[in-house]
């Protein structure tokens, strides 16, 4: 498996940051707080935070600012998993090899913990002490970050993508429809993970933002193609959840539409396009290139 | 029943504002958008928007700015109703005399519509064109509004209150615990409905914000006491949902803790305290006084 220098370092960094956020909440309802902690801190690859950190590194943004970006993205991602796993949605019992939140607690608590984690995402952006390098004040940057997160998370982003995903269950959809679905459900947050760091810098041009955005959309799609491949070819132990669950749930997948070899070719092609996009940026993009490769070469 | 001058006017204003927000969303998933519209626009007293508008009037804030405040508050309120009504939570089939969202659509869609409405609340605050009376730029005001909404809606506010409410079901709790529960579950958003307009003005002193906040907490509590009374004394037709549902759900209520007369006395006492608080403000607070009276005298 491809390894990434600094992945564990940034995982630790974001885990510490998020743990501190939860520790700073006063205890009103201990069970709800515990469920939020369970959803946010038990396991998780921290892909979105990692992407935000290495983008921040590449474009020379103070990593203190990226903490807020990464933390808010992970809160949105975690809330979406709590809700997606619910019986009324994907009805999953396991997540990351452990009982899903509604199994470990109960459905009502999992719903509320997801709700509170979404609010926490905006809390982090609005209340973080941003670095003092911003001219005069960081408020315009913070407001732009809220705007970016809104677009990535809401009806026009991740949440709308999940609705399309539910609508596509038990139904065959076209490759084009599958791509729209994934560009919203997964791509929007990954795109935010490169664009939000770019908002923290005054030096990233509109053209470079566009290239970063293309890179993120390409690896987002590659991630989903690879996810579908892994779901078919992995073992339950590697996956931390039952294999073949997409097929069992009657979801449209890339291997189903393209065949396994076709899906593998597509993942490789998306990777090459993502690497190509990076060559048009005037930064050290080695970590971003490694991350793209990691996404397609991972086996879990 | 006490009537309020301008209530219908502001109901219409906020309904138009919210309808326009939904109309401006591109159609990704028509069903999800329809469920958001159902949750946000079908009925509802618009108490929080109304309170925001009359506060804005009292302290002379441009009502264009209050549109965003009122719209964001109503989105949070609507999302909380969609989730609270779910089978895993209060399991209500009727809301405002109509099928609840998960009955009219399905559970997954009601969960997602709630999620998307929460994001929409922050969308509205972050993307609204605020009035130009703010010095230099409205961004500091907008960021403060996001901070206020986060505090009112999240774990330390409404969402935490709902968790306490669930925890209190089938359990007897003290009057003090019931007040904490309601100050979070209902009080926090009503407090935001007076404090967010105050953030839009540069003239409201810290002392006056404190008085507005006390007023809002008092009427929030009075609202809950009166709600419990109505749940016991109203008819299903007046209520738009089955009467006695609190008792049926084994929830602690003010009439249960204080007796019906005791609860009525408490509501009256809270009203007098709220009216008293208003006399310490140097504004025309007639509408705020009428609203407090309306809350305690209403029969549905």
């Amino acid at each position: 498996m491809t390894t990434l220098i600094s992945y564990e370092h940034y995982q630790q960094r974001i885990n510490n940051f998020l743990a501190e956020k939860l520790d700073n909440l006063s205890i009103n309802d201990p069970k709800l707080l515990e469920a939020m902690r369970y959803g946010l801190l038990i396991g998780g690859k921290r892909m979105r935070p990692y992407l935000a950190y290495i983008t921040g590194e590449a474009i020379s943004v103070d990593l203190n600012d990226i903490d807020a970006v990464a933390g808010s993205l992970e809160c949105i991602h975690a809330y979406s998993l709590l809700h997606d796993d619910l019986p009324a949605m994907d009805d999953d019992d396991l997540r990351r090899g452990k009982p899903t939140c509604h199994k470990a607690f109960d459905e009502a608590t999992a719903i509320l913990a997801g709700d509170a984690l979404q609010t926490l995402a905006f809390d982090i952006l609005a209340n973080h002490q941003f670095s003092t390098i911003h001219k005069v004040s960081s408020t315009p940057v913070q407001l732009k970050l809220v705007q970016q997160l809104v677009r990535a998370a809401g009806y026009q982003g991740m949440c709308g993508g999940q609705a399309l995903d539910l609508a596509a269950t038990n139904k065959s959809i076209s490759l084009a429809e599958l791509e729209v679905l994934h560009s919203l459900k997964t791509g929007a947050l990954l795109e935010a993970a490169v664009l939000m760091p770019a908002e923290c810098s005054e030096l990233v041009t509109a053209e470079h933002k566009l290239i970063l955005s293309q890179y993120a959309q390409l690896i987002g799609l590659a991630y989903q193609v690879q996810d579908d491949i892994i779901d078919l070819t992995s073992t339950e132990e590697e996956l931390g959840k039952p294999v073949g669950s997409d097929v069992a749930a009657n979801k449209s997948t890339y291997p189903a539409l393209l065949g396994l070899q076709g899906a593998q070719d597509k993942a490789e092609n998306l990777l090459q396009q993502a690497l190509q996009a990076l060559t048009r940026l005037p930064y050290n993009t080695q970590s971003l290139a490694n991350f793209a490769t990691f996404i397609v070469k991972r086996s879990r």
Side-chain angles (χ1 to χ4, degrees), chain A:
Chain A
M1 160 121 76
T2 311
T3 54
L4 296 171
I5 302 160
S6 75
Y7 204 133
E8 280 182 24
H9 167 73
Y10 284 128
Q11 278 183 326
Q12 199 54 54
R13 181 172 176 132
I14 192 61
N15 287 346
N16 292 344
F17 177 83
L18 291 171
E20 199 187 311
K21 288 290 151 208
L22 293 178
D23 289 345
N24 286 341
L25 294 175
S26 60
I27 297 178
N28 291 321
D29 186 87
K31 187 178 171 190
L32 177 58
L33 188 55
E34 219 33 67
M36 290 167 72
R37 198 183 305 277
Y38 189 85
L40 194 55
L41 294 178
I42 308 291
K45 293 193 279 288
R46 310 298 184 213
M47 266 181 47
R48 292 150 195 81
Y50 182 70
L51 182 54
Y53 282 119
I54 60 176
T55 303
E57 260 186 4
I59 60 176
S60 305
V61 168
D62 189 330
L63 292 189
N64 163 68
D65 293 3
I66 306 295
D67 287 336
V69 167
S72 69
L73 287 167
E74 194 63 16
C75 284
I76 294 290
H77 177 59
Y79 115 66
S80 77
L81 297 184
L82 294 196
H83 286 187
D84 289 2
D85 285 340
L86 287 167
M89 301 255 235
D90 294 348
D91 195 15
D92 282 319
D93 293 347
L94 287 175
R95 162 78 61 187
R96 301 160 181 167
K98 297 202 173 62
T100 45
C101 189
H102 65 274
K103 285 286 171 186
F105 296 82
D106 53 60
E107 274 189 59
T109 304
I111 295 168
L112 283 177
D115 291 342
L117 286 175
Q118 177 171 187
T119 320
L120 185 59
F122 293 103
D123 186 350
I124 288 171
L125 290 181
N127 288 303
H128 187 68
Q129 286 289 329
F130 277 73
S131 67
T132 50
I133 58 161
H134 301 285
K135 284 184 201 137
V136 191
S137 145
S138 69
T139 40
V141 172
Q142 287 175 271
L143 195 67
K144 278 199 175 163
L145 293 176
V146 171
Q147 289 168 352
Q148 296 264 11
L149 193 66
V150 154
R151 208 173 61 149
Y155 172 78
Q156 320 232 44
M158 183 195 75
C159 199
Q162 174 66 3
L164 289 178
D165 196 14
L166 286 174
T169 306
N170 297 319
K171 196 175 121 179
S172 72
I173 62 172
S174 70
L175 198 61
E177 289 171 313
L178 193 61
E179 295 206 350
V180 169
L181 184 169
H182 288 309
S183 79
L184 293 173
K185 187 179 171 179
T186 319
L189 272 196
L190 289 172
E191 195 179 358
V194 299
L195 290 182
M196 289 170 73
E199 287 298 339
C200 298
S201 163
E202 280 152 350
L203 303 173
V204 182
T205 64
E207 190 201 338
H208 295 159
K209 283 181 189 171
L210 195 64
I211 296 171
L212 281 169
S213 164
Q214 286 167 347
Y215 160 82
Q217 282 288 352
L218 287 163
I219 65 166
L221 214 48
Y223 177 83
Q224 276 303 334
V225 176
Q226 186 61 17
D227 229 35
D228 289 352
I229 293 169
I230 292 171
D231 189 63
L232 273 184
T233 59
S234 184
T235 66
E236 177 160 343
E237 197 183 351
E238 285 176 315
L239 210 54
K241 62 179 184 181
V243 292
S245 63
D246 293 339
V247 178
N250 249 326
K251 297 212 171 192
S252 294
T253 68
Y254 288 97
L257 286 168
L258 301 172
L260 184 56
Q261 184 60 49
Q264 284 164 339
D265 292 346
K266 182 166 182 78
E268 181 61 31
N269 183 265
L270 290 165
L271 168 60
Q272 293 309 322
Q273 287 185 64
L275 296 176
Q276 184 58 39
L278 291 178
T279 62
R280 309 206 313 272
L281 290 174
Y283 315 114
N284 179 348
T285 56
Q286 191 56 54
S287 293
L288 292 167
N290 291 346
F291 185 59
T293 307
F294 165 79
I295 275 181
V296 173
K297 305 300 183 195
R298 78 205 155 91
S299 59
R300 50 186 280 179

